[in-house]
Amino acid sequence: MQPIVIATWKFGELAARAALPLLTRGAAALDAALAGAQAVEDDPAVNSVGYGGLANRLGVVSLDACVMDGRTLDCGAVAGVENIRHVAALARLVMEKTPHLMLVGEGAKLFAVQHGFPLECLHTPESVATWQRRGLEKSTTHLTHDTVTVLALDQTGSLAGVCTTSGLSHKMPGRVGDSPIIGAGLYVDNAAGAAGGTGVGEEILRIAASSVMVESLRAGQTPQEACELAARRIVEVGKRRNVKPAQIAFIALDPRGNVGAACTAGTDFHFAVGRGDCVEMKQAVAIA
Ligand code: ASP
């Protein structure tokens, strides 16, 4: 089977370029998706994931991540983790080495240290300057964010996904979004497909979006239909709640290698698709 990787936002290209050669050489979907996510965590120029990520109100970079293996539904997650750069790899370790699915805060950090993860300052001069500027603006209406969600299909036809983020800029200390929550920011099942989200996590959580998309794939819809369904639901819920739909985008991949993406109107969402020896950027359909 021809492997494929898809990843959110412009920096998804970096993820896809790291993951695709691994998939082509026969790597498992989870290994490839994790390598892709880690390339983004390592890039200080990406200001919403890993090293150089967006700080919370206290000026602390606090990271969330999860992983899921579509073969077995094995999954792991971490949330509110400080001073650890590779939180996606940490989430995988939670999956592999503990009887639990999720560790948070100090417990997650302790577990990381026990397994040899270095404690690091995750700030860059640019991330500190961004935090200071935002603090002066005293505005919570223009929060910035963005998550890398990587979905991969390997040569054996198996699916996996990884999601990693610093969440919303200037978030309240302790705030956790959708990204580390299985069924919200990510869900993967070889029997149906893989799906993930990015954008304002509270709204993605509210509709259990990735679960909705994978169940729609299970019912026979295409990845494009599944993403549009979730985006439409976000818009409908926004109307019921009398609020403007938040900036949200979804991606999905089925076990045959079909891909889909959709976003709410006003979200200029691009995503990367890596297949064969080529990675290309695509723009998602916007739902009003
Ligand atoms: N979903 C992330 C969160 O709410 C942010 C993003 O993907 O833009 O933490």
Side-chain angles (χ1 to χ4, degrees):
M1 151 142 329
Q2 185 183 46
I4 175 165
V5 56
I6 62 175
T8 52
W9 301 111
K10 192 170 178 319
F11 48 68
E13 186 176 351
L14 183 63
R17 288 199 187 284
L20 191 57
L22 297 179
L23 289 169
T24 308
R25 288 202 295 273
L30 185 57
D31 292 330
L34 187 61
Q38 201 154 295
V40 181
E41 288 177 338
D42 279 336
D43 187 342
V46 177
N47 74 357
S48 55
V49 176
Y51 179 56
L54 294 162
N56 68 14
R57 282 187 202 174
L58 299 181
V60 175
V61 179
S62 166
L63 303 178
D64 303 333
C66 73
V67 304
M68 188 158 190
D69 188 332
R71 287 175 298 193
T72 52
L73 305 196
D74 277 332
C75 49
V78 292
V81 185
E82 297 170 15
N83 303 114
I84 303 289
R85 177 194 296 223
H86 292 147
V87 280
L90 186 59
R92 182 181 188 165
L93 221 55
V94 171
M95 172 181 102
E96 290 175 345
K97 303 258 189 242
T98 80
H100 310 301
L101 296 193
M102 186 174 209
L103 293 178
V104 304
E106 282 304 304
K109 191 200 270 192
L110 186 65
F111 177 70
V113 170
Q114 280 174 322
H115 288 85
F117 285 67
L119 287 177
E120 295 178 75
C121 171
L122 300 180
H123 280 298
T124 60
E126 292 73 24
S127 73
V128 174
T130 303
W131 179 77
Q132 283 177 327
R133 211 170 41 243
R134 291 243 154 230
L136 291 175
E137 286 164 8
K138 288 194 174 48
S139 160
T140 51
T141 50
H142 293 102
L143 296 174
T144 54
H145 44 84
D146 288 350
T147 294
V148 70
T149 301
V150 188
L151 306 178
L153 174 70
D154 66 26
Q155 285 179 4
T156 69
S158 194
L159 291 159
V162 176
C163 193
T164 176
T165 190
S166 54
L168 300 184
S169 63
H170 276 255
K171 63 189 177 186
M172 285 179 69
R175 180 266 185 191
V176 173
D178 61 303
S179 304
I181 308 297
I182 298 297
L186 181 73
Y187 200 79
V188 187
D189 180 350
N190 275 5
T198 176
V200 179
E202 284 69 10
E203 304 311 315
I204 297 175
L205 277 163
R206 205 185 296 287
I207 67 159
S210 292
S211 177
V212 164
M213 288 186 278
V214 171
E215 290 316 305
S216 130
L217 294 172
R218 202 186 304 282
Q221 292 201 289
T222 65
Q224 186 56 36
E225 288 166 338
C227 291
E228 289 183 23
L229 171 74
R232 244 189 341 267
R233 196 161 294 179
I234 294 279
V235 172
E236 283 160 14
V237 171
K239 284 184 187 145
R240 269 163 65 182
R241 293 167 51 73
N242 213 12
V243 293
K244 215 171 124 230
Q247 283 196 337
I248 310 256
F250 298 115
I251 56 172
L253 173 62
D254 75 13
R256 290 167 298 286
N258 300 308
V259 308
C263 59
T264 53
T267 311
D268 185 21
F269 179 65
H270 291 74
F271 64 107
V273 179
R275 199 193 314 245
D277 55 6
C278 138
V279 173
E280 53 177 351
M281 293 305 296
K282 291 186 183 284
Q283 184 160 18
V285 171
I287 306 289

